[in-house]
Amino acid sequence: MRKSGAELTVFALEQIGVKYTYGIPGTHTTEIYDQLNDSKQIKPILVTHEGGGSFMADASSRTSDGIGCLMIVPAAGTTHAMSGIGEAFLDGIPMLVITGGTRRDSGRHYQLHQIDQAQIVKAVTKAQFLIENHDDIIPTIYEAYNIAISGEPGPVFIEIPIELQMFTADVKEMSKYQSKSSKPTINQNDIDEIIQILENSTKPMLYVGWGAMEAFEYTIKLAELLGAPVATTLQGKSAFPNNHPLYTSVGVGASSKPSGQWALKEHDSMLAVGVRFSEISTGSYGLDNPKNLIHIDINSEVFNKNYQAVKTLEADGKEAIKAIYDRLVARNFKAKRDIKEVEQKLTTENDKYFNTWLTEKKNNIVSPGHFFKALRAKVDQDAMMVTDDGKHTFLSSELFPVNHPRHFISPTDFNCMGYCVPASIAVKLNNPDKQVIAIIGDGAMLMTGLELITAKSYGISPIFFIFNDGELGQISQFQSVPLNRKTCTVLSEINFEGIAIAAGIEYLPLNNDLEIDSVLDKAIALNKQGKAILVDVNIDYSKKTMLTKGVIKVNLGRFPLRQKVRFLTRAVKRHITG
């Protein structure tokens, strides 16, 4: 049969379950987009910038059962999309990146967009493919998909030259996709070694990340069986219900909440699953080596990088936690500590910490504690939250409980500003029956805020909350404490209502604590009518999060004595003299 490369491409994407593509069509992808127009399964989404499209693809993979797919022009489309591709790569999120390619049959050089794309994306993709002929298109897309979802997931790049898309050729077959994804086999001896450590422990602790997300139900069972406090990474915040009495905090170490610090101080073993002990969730590595550390991850490269384990296991998080739980139950395991006492201690500490944010209500600014308390009470219990990168991220992680898996997403290891607006659009697109709450810093809003147009164009309706303090809040706070200066972190005054009007969505100002209830009620009522809303929150960032306090303390503590004296002297002098 004779088929064009564009037809073969769309057929293969349908076979692997793609529902949406994100991008902007151009000279080198018009044929594929024409075929997408005829697809009964795939809807191509036009974005305002390929960077926004890449964040949408990332968020699609995080919050749906399919894979996010970018469909972009070569060269500039690829470089524009690099931030989202990099985010997916460092965060372990599967993604397909499909670009057109310049013609190879013309013999011409210096073509429009002609550049070695594979070299550009090599550092942020698991694999790169340049398709050579029509027969390779379907099997290459299948192989790319398998690579993207296998092991530690990540993005895979495919370049399809324009002449293959345009022209037809005889193809041998159009095979249907058959899954070849495999997971490491768990050896029972490894489980027995882990069981021995846990049985010899009196105060075990769990630390789980995105790699344990699918283990949600078994993590609850295991924590309750062990009587173990549970901490999560930032990315893995929703890997354990935040309203569970054994939940402590996002992070471990000096940057975690007091409940997390207590659990860490008490523990005599730690079972860490689907985590990498990376910078954010350890608060710049602000913890001593966990005791009797058992480290389980799908990627063995993460073992013993920052903290030494007494036992490591390369395994899928869900399968490993289930195997450990089942083995403990079979051995009639009983916790060696009073679980109710542990739960009461953690609940007391978490309530006490939250209450420190509930000062007297103010009539000139919005207090984070009162905002998040009201937001949690008013939105659906299964509302999905998306944050950006900034101070609001850590406020959200500390003050807004999320109790369902994959219901909190945030840029973490690549830590890229501009993520939230496009990502929340994709989350709502893929989860139309869920409330989607977007928490955005004003600086991040300036990066990708015009994707609000995409939300309006397709009738997609998150509630966007801009935490507007007129600064790049997290960095300005890091500057002001030791330097008493704010260099390039103070923003010009922005009329966000004008942006909302330009995009065609609703706008609500939230000026102070006394308006919180009424504005949230109005925003939720409008949202239930299918409208996207931009709420401009006059946020108070004066109180520091645990992350800010922990990171400053930990990093200063590591300075050589002479440099520490220099920094402290400079800080004191500047705060006295200005």
Side-chain angles (χ1 to χ4, degrees):
M1 56 190 144
R2 295 189 66 82
K3 294 287 182 180
S4 72
E7 291 177 282
L8 298 171
T9 299
V10 173
F11 171 83
L13 293 178
E14 289 173 338
Q15 283 291 303
I16 60 175
V18 171
K19 296 178 181 177
Y20 302 101
T21 63
Y22 305 95
I24 302 172
T27 305
H28 296 81
T29 55
T30 52
E31 291 292 327
I32 296 178
Y33 270 89
D34 186 62
Q35 289 298 317
L36 288 170
N37 190 58
D38 291 336
S39 175
K40 291 181 173 58
Q41 174 180 313
I42 305 173
K43 183 178 182 64
I45 302 297
L46 173 63
V47 300
T48 64
H49 190 280
E50 288 92 349
S54 64
F55 293 138
M56 292 182 194
D58 171 287
S60 291
S61 291
R62 294 186 198 231
T63 60
S64 76
D65 57 2
I67 188 169
C69 182
L70 269 174
M71 185 65 66
I72 53 180
V73 296
T78 300
T79 56
H80 284 174
M82 286 285 281
S83 291
I85 299 170
E87 192 69 62
F89 182 73
L90 287 191
D91 291 0
I93 305 300
M95 181 189 295
L96 285 183
V97 184
I98 298 179
T99 78
T102 54
R103 294 188 66 164
R104 298 164 307 156
D105 62 340
S106 67
R108 302 294 186 183
H109 298 278
Y110 313 117
Q111 297 179 53
L112 183 69
H113 301 323
Q114 189 172 34
I115 195 169
D116 189 341
Q117 297 193 94
Q119 286 300 312
I120 293 175
V121 301
K122 189 174 183 180
V124 291
T125 53
K126 290 182 71 177
Q128 313 82 40
F129 295 95
L130 172 61
I131 295 181
E132 301 287 346
N133 57 64
H134 287 73
D135 276 322
D136 290 339
I137 292 175
I138 292 174
T140 299
I141 290 175
Y142 291 170
E143 182 182 359
Y145 176 68
N146 287 333
I147 293 171
I149 64 173
S150 298
E152 182 176 3
V156 177
F157 181 85
I158 307 169
E159 179 177 340
I160 306 175
I162 183 60
E163 75 273 8
L164 295 186
Q165 299 176 42
M166 293 190 300
F167 302 148
T168 59
D170 288 322
V171 291
K172 297 173 184 175
E173 62 176 342
M174 294 176 66
S175 58
K176 294 188 176 181
Y177 173 73
Q178 294 182 336
S179 175
K180 293 183 179 179
S181 178
S182 61
K183 299 173 183 177
T185 301
I186 297 178
N187 188 300
Q188 187 58 47
N189 290 334
D190 288 318
I191 298 299
D192 289 341
E193 288 180 39
I194 292 170
I195 295 300
Q196 185 176 13
I197 296 169
L198 294 175
E199 286 185 330
N200 290 333
S201 172
T202 59
K203 297 177 179 178
M205 178 180 182
L206 300 184
Y207 176 43
V208 294
W210 188 265
M213 195 63 68
E214 300 306 314
F216 186 83
E217 298 298 334
Y218 276 98
T219 303
I220 297 172
K221 292 180 179 180
L222 181 60
E224 292 174 345
L225 182 65
L226 294 170
V230 182
T232 72
T233 64
L234 174 62
Q235 189 181 356
K237 174 176 165 67
S238 62
F240 192 80
N242 299 176
N243 62 353
H244 194 285
L246 287 172
Y247 175 72
T248 65
S249 173
V250 165
V252 287
S255 65
S256 63
K257 293 192 300 186
S259 60
Q261 294 186 36
W262 175 82
L264 186 68
K265 182 180 178 181
E266 291 285 304
H267 89 288
D268 59 8
S269 69
M270 177 183 286
L271 175 61
V273 184
V275 304
R276 291 176 287 196
F277 290 95
S278 57
E279 183 171 2
I280 285 183
S281 288
T282 61
S284 288
Y285 318 105
L287 74 156
D288 296 328
N289 204 103
K291 300 168 187 174
N292 293 310
L293 174 60
I294 306 161
H295 195 176
I296 300 173
D297 199 90
I298 195 74
N299 180 5
S300 61
E301 290 294 315
V302 308
F303 299 144
N304 300 313
K305 282 291 193 296
N306 293 321
Y307 297 95
Q308 295 297 308
V310 297
K311 175 62 183 176
T312 62
L313 175 61
E314 182 183 1
D316 173 75
K318 180 179 180 179
E319 292 185 2
I321 290 177
K322 181 179 184 301
I324 293 167
Y325 173 78
D326 288 345
R327 186 70 173 142
L328 285 170
V329 169
R331 291 171 65 87
N332 197 30
F333 175 86
K334 301 295 181 184
K336 298 178 182 178
R337 67 199 305 188
D338 188 323
I339 298 176
K340 290 298 180 185
E341 282 188 10
V342 175
E343 292 178 340
Q344 183 176 359
K345 174 65 174 178
L346 295 177
T347 299
T348 299
E349 289 293 336
N350 281 331
D351 289 345
K352 186 191 302 183
Y353 177 71
F354 190 88
N355 287 336
T356 66
W357 290 87
L358 298 178
T359 55
E360 184 177 350
K361 290 187 176 182
K362 301 172 184 176
N363 62 8
N364 64 335
I365 204 162
V366 176
S367 305
H370 292 298
F371 172 83
F372 280 111
K373 182 180 180 180
L375 184 68
R376 180 64 283 177
K378 291 177 181 296
V379 299
D380 297 341
Q381 285 303 302
D382 64 348
M384 305 178 78
M385 176 172 280
V386 185
T387 70
D388 215 285
D389 167 38
K391 190 169 176 62
H392 67 279
T393 314
F394 307 107
L395 285 171
S396 301
S397 72
E398 289 185 7
L399 303 178
F400 187 84
V402 176
N403 305 316
H404 300 270
R406 297 180 181 269
H407 278 49
F408 177 92
I409 65 171
S410 176
T412 52
D413 290 311
F414 204 74
N415 213 212
C416 192
M417 287 177 65
Y419 179 85
C420 183
V421 173
S424 59
I425 292 169
V427 172
K428 183 64 176 178
L429 182 65
N430 284 274
N431 301 272
D433 60 329
K434 296 286 192 295
Q435 267 184 336
V436 176
I437 308 301
I439 309 289
I440 314 143
D442 46 4
M445 180 70 183
L446 298 179
M447 292 187 172
T448 55
L450 288 182
E451 292 296 350
L452 294 175
I453 296 169
T454 306
K456 177 64 175 180
S457 297
Y458 292 95
I460 305 168
S461 55
I463 305 177
F464 302 96
F465 292 96
I466 302 175
F467 277 20
N468 184 358
D469 71 325
E471 298 182 353
L472 303 177
Q474 186 70 54
I475 302 305
S476 71
Q477 201 162 82
F478 280 146
Q479 288 178 334
S480 62
V481 173
L483 303 175
N484 199 28
R485 295 177 181 173
K486 297 178 180 180
T487 306
C488 290
T489 54
V490 178
L491 304 175
S492 351
E493 189 171 338
I494 308 298
N495 183 349
F496 287 114
E497 183 177 11
I499 295 176
I501 292 171
I505 70 170
E506 301 288 332
Y507 172 86
L508 295 173
L510 176 50
N511 298 305
N512 57 60
D513 291 339
L514 307 181
E515 297 177 354
I516 290 174
D517 287 334
S518 61
V519 172
L520 289 184
D521 288 342
K522 188 172 182 180
I524 292 168
L526 288 169
N527 190 243
K528 286 181 177 179
Q529 298 172 25
K531 296 180 179 180
I533 304 100
L534 184 64
V535 182
D536 190 349
V537 183
N538 179 32
I539 196 70
D540 180 5
Y541 274 159
S542 60
K543 181 176 170 65
K544 298 179 183 65
T545 62
M546 291 303 299
L547 179 106
T548 300
K549 291 188 285 189
V551 166
I552 291 174
K553 180 180 178 181
V554 164
N555 281 297
L556 184 61
R558 287 201 191 102
F559 282 17
L561 179 59
R562 184 172 181 177
Q563 299 302 326
K564 187 185 297 184
V565 170
R566 182 177 75 86
F567 267 73
L568 291 174
T569 302
R570 183 179 64 176
V572 170
K573 182 178 179 181
R574 287 189 178 179
H575 280 278
I576 293 174
T577 67

